[in-house]
Amino acid sequence: MADVLFYRLLRLRRLIVVALAVPLATLWAMGALDDPLLFALAVTIPLAHALAYPNAWVESLTVSIVLAPCLALASMIDPGLSAGSIAIRWTSLAILWTIGYFMLLSPLSVAVNAGPTVGVGGRSRVRSAADAATLRRSITIYPGRTDGRTTCGEADGDGVFEVLTVHTIPGISFEMAEDQFDPTEAEAFNTAEERRRKEAGLTDDDTIEVRYKAVVQSSGADHHEVFTFEDPAGEVGVTRYDFEPDGDGTLVTIEERGAKLPVGAALGFWLQDFLTDHLVDEVDRAEGRAPRANHAFPQRQMVVDIANLIVPMMAETTPKNRT
């Protein structure tokens, strides 16, 4: 567990710095940076969220942004007030933070995926104890590759093949039981939920499937280059792997270019150090070691965990139909 936490601190360093900067800058502006309690809250809350939910960068920023005005208001609490009055004010701030969190999360999630697109890519390098042949077989995209994460079809006459990747996303247990709710209401709700899941590309196991096409442009003992695209007439991305001997292991370099994302999503790509994290995940799987990359874990969100706590409670407190 300690190695996973250390890895998250390293990989999410950019996100953590940005998330901490917002509340700390607010305390500095309020002249309250030297308050030990407020300083501790400004640091521990965003940091704890980033480490607990490493794939939820938008949510981490939401937690940080909403925390800032709450800490500003907390700095105005008169320490001379009675314990009861102080407790009431802190409780009110906690409620305010909760409301602000739920109000901001959805619009911010929409905003980062809106607007103009920009090119994303980059270059990253990871050392592996495995040899180049093992790595090429385990981490690159090529016709016929099949494992727990990636499935590649066979190439057609033009060398084009289908690629399917599967990602786990824990969902909310929304289904209504007919013995707890009106049968007509339950059927309508479950139908709507099934439609929502289908539109989101979710399966019954709360996994999302990403499909695209690829063609191997060049491949050899020391490299592997692939062109990827969704539509032959659309944008083409290029992924290149280079393998360099390094003692009893291999230096793996990945370089991606050509892909485009909305500006906000591109920011998230950088904040999460996404390319390096993806490479670490693939290399760890090739070596057969325990997962540590953020990419290897289900893409959990605090809002979903909260909902999964609330929904069963609501079901338990709802009177069952009597027939």
Side-chain angles (χ1 to χ4, degrees):
M1 186 62 180
D3 60 329
V4 174
L5 289 177
F6 178 78
Y7 174 85
R8 291 180 181 180
L9 280 170
L10 173 65
R11 192 62 53 227
L12 298 175
R13 61 195 182 280
R14 298 165 183 162
L15 175 62
I16 291 171
V17 168
V18 172
L20 294 183
V22 177
L24 288 177
T26 300
L27 288 183
W28 175 80
M30 297 296 296
L33 197 57
D34 58 347
D35 186 304
L37 175 59
L38 297 183
F39 182 84
L41 291 175
V43 171
T44 57
I45 293 177
L47 178 61
H49 183 277
L51 295 179
Y53 300 92
N55 294 303
W57 71 275
V58 175
E59 194 174 65
S60 288
L61 294 185
T62 302
V63 167
S64 174
I65 292 170
V66 177
L67 179 64
C70 292
L71 291 179
L73 292 174
S75 69
M76 300 177 187
I77 297 177
D78 184 355
L81 294 173
S82 66
S85 297
I86 292 177
I88 290 174
R89 283 163 173 75
W90 275 104
T91 301
S92 300
L93 288 176
I95 294 172
L96 178 64
W97 179 89
T98 304
I99 294 173
Y101 161 75
F102 280 107
M103 289 182 64
L104 180 61
L105 179 59
S106 181
L108 189 58
S109 299
V110 172
V112 299
N113 290 298
T117 60
V118 295
V120 295
R123 187 172 183 270
S124 186
R125 172 176 286 189
V126 170
R127 187 187 186 282
S128 172
D131 59 76
T134 298
L135 291 168
R136 287 181 64 253
R137 184 174 59 252
S138 301
I139 74 176
T140 63
I141 300 298
Y142 56 88
R145 174 184 170 182
T146 301
D147 55 39
R149 177 71 59 77
T150 303
T151 301
C152 300
E154 296 300 328
D156 63 16
D158 296 321
V160 178
F161 56 97
E162 297 274 354
V163 182
L164 167 66
T165 60
V166 179
H167 308 272
T168 304
I169 304 180
I172 306 174
S173 303
F174 271 142
E175 285 205 9
M176 291 186 174
E178 293 190 1
D179 62 343
Q180 293 178 317
F181 299 88
D182 178 81
T184 303
E185 179 186 1
E187 181 180 358
F189 189 94
N190 292 335
T191 300
E193 172 62 8
E194 182 179 353
R195 187 186 311 115
R196 180 193 70 82
R197 294 172 61 82
K198 183 177 181 180
E199 291 174 351
L202 296 173
T203 69
D204 291 337
D205 297 324
D206 289 324
T207 59
I208 186 167
E209 299 179 345
V210 179
R211 298 177 183 270
Y212 57 93
K213 297 180 185 295
V215 59
V216 177
Q217 172 65 12
S218 176
S219 186
D222 63 347
H223 76 283
H224 188 83
E225 187 172 69
V226 180
F227 288 178
T228 60
F229 51 90
E230 295 183 4
D231 182 346
E235 299 289 342
V236 176
V238 182
T239 301
R240 180 183 175 92
Y241 293 88
D242 288 295
F243 306 97
E244 178 185 345
D246 182 54
D248 58 351
T250 307
L251 282 176
V252 188
T253 302
I254 185 174
E255 184 174 359
E256 287 192 351
R257 58 187 185 276
K260 289 191 174 182
L261 289 175
V263 175
L267 173 64
F269 186 91
W270 179 77
L271 288 175
Q272 297 175 97
D273 200 1
F274 188 88
L275 186 59
T276 303
D277 186 67
H278 170 73
L279 181 58
V280 169
D281 180 34
E282 293 282 12
V283 168
D284 283 353
R285 287 161 59 84
E287 295 179 358
R289 62 183 291 171
R292 52 179 171 149
N294 302 327
H295 197 71
F297 293 90
Q299 300 190 29
R300 295 172 51 235
Q301 286 184 284
M302 184 170 70
V303 66
V304 175
D305 286 349
I306 293 174
N308 279 328
L309 289 174
I310 295 175
V311 170
M313 293 171 57
M314 291 176 60
E316 290 177 3
T317 57
T318 302
K320 296 183 178 180
N321 291 330
R322 303 297 182 184
T323 57

